[in-house]
Amino acid sequence: MSGLLSVSSWTAWAPGLPDRAAWQEWAGGLRTPESAGEPALPEIPAMLRRRADRLARMTLRAAFDVLGDRTGLPVVYVSRHGSVGRSAELLEALARGEALSPAGFAASVHNAAPGLLGIVRKDSAPYTALAAEAGGVFAMLAEVMAFLADGHAEVLAILSDEPVPACYSSYVTEPEFPAAWAGVFGLGDGTGTGTGLTLSQAAVPTPAYSEPEVLAWTRWLAGDTVSFDCARGWQVRRV
């Protein structure tokens, strides 16, 4: 599997880094992120907004900002943990013998964020929700290429995660940080206004990022390094 991709636009959201300009400053060492905070999402009715945890809010903010008025794009959503905080709350309630909230369960499933995106935008485009452990970028790009191969002109891709709740912290082996990245992909060679990328096999080891994968991916896109090792044996390169 290999091919030419083009990222026509991308943005990201994290506490203290609300837009593309802030991320460029961060990548240049001129700005530092914060550990607390979440986007307000004034575009969403209050009843729906209450259903969204921070992961979903970050995901929606990044998606709204990169999509603008575009509709009908299939969505590839990748998150290592998903809304695991909501799942932990449900399990703790179950252990106390309390009745579980159907709304809480609906908000805890792995596809909750992209599902809410479709509801809010009244957009029935297909979406895929993936849990790819440490290979989120590779899984995202592979699924994007599958949608493009099926004839879709553009695909919205989202990579988002946040730290797991304290009850799971002893199992964490890699750095974590709350952040969401979203970009619109198409087929191309980068000769237009987008960034041209290739995903291909290469003799590279399993990546060991010094920061959460979503941050490493955003830092690479905001910089000028040629290649990004996204999985064992797989590499993304600028065209």
Side-chain angles (χ1 to χ4, degrees):
M1 177 183 61
S2 63
L4 292 173
L5 297 171
S6 179
V7 186
S8 61
S9 56
W10 67 265
T11 192
W13 196 97
L17 300 171
D19 51 36
R20 176 78 173 266
W23 284 95
Q24 293 288 164
E25 292 179 357
W26 164 80
L30 302 176
R31 192 162 179 158
T32 57
E34 301 170 4
S35 60
E38 59 184 30
L41 296 178
E43 309 95 324
I44 301 179
M47 184 173 293
L48 286 176
R49 195 162 57 239
R50 283 195 293 270
R51 293 171 53 182
D53 60 7
R54 180 168 65 171
L55 180 70
R57 288 179 179 235
M58 294 189 302
T59 298
L60 267 61
R61 181 72 275 153
F64 288 165
D65 290 346
V66 81
L67 280 173
D69 296 330
R70 284 180 287 198
T71 60
L73 277 65
V75 178
V76 175
Y77 171 75
V78 180
S79 178
R80 183 169 187 170
H81 301 298
S83 295
V84 67
R86 285 281 176 85
S87 298
E89 291 173 0
L90 291 173
L91 291 173
E92 289 169 354
L94 187 64
R96 294 191 297 267
E98 300 173 359
L100 299 185
S101 162
F105 173 77
S108 73
V109 297
H110 201 73
N111 63 337
L116 186 57
L117 177 65
I119 292 171
V120 170
R121 288 172 54 85
K122 298 180 173 60
D123 193 335
S124 60
Y127 67 84
T128 298
L130 304 174
E133 198 172 353
V137 170
F138 172 73
M140 176 181 73
L141 296 178
E143 196 69 17
V144 164
M145 292 178 68
F147 271 117
L148 293 173
D150 276 347
H152 295 279
E154 292 184 311
V155 179
L156 170 65
I158 303 169
L159 186 67
S160 67
D161 252 312
E162 67 172 349
V164 299
C167 60
Y168 297 130
S169 61
S170 61
Y171 302 101
V172 174
T173 59
E174 297 180 1
E176 297 185 314
F177 187 78
W181 178 92
V184 175
F185 286 86
L187 293 173
D189 58 6
T191 57
T193 58
T195 301
L197 306 174
T198 61
L199 173 65
S200 58
Q201 289 183 292
V204 298
T206 302
Y209 306 120
S210 60
E211 57 190 343
E213 187 179 21
V214 60
L215 295 187
W217 170 244
T218 305
R219 186 184 299 279
W220 180 74
L221 282 173
D224 55 10
T225 305
V226 174
S227 63
F228 180 83
D229 297 341
C230 60
R232 181 177 179 85
W234 289 92
Q235 190 175 75
V236 185
R237 295 181 65 86
R238 299 181 195 270
V239 177

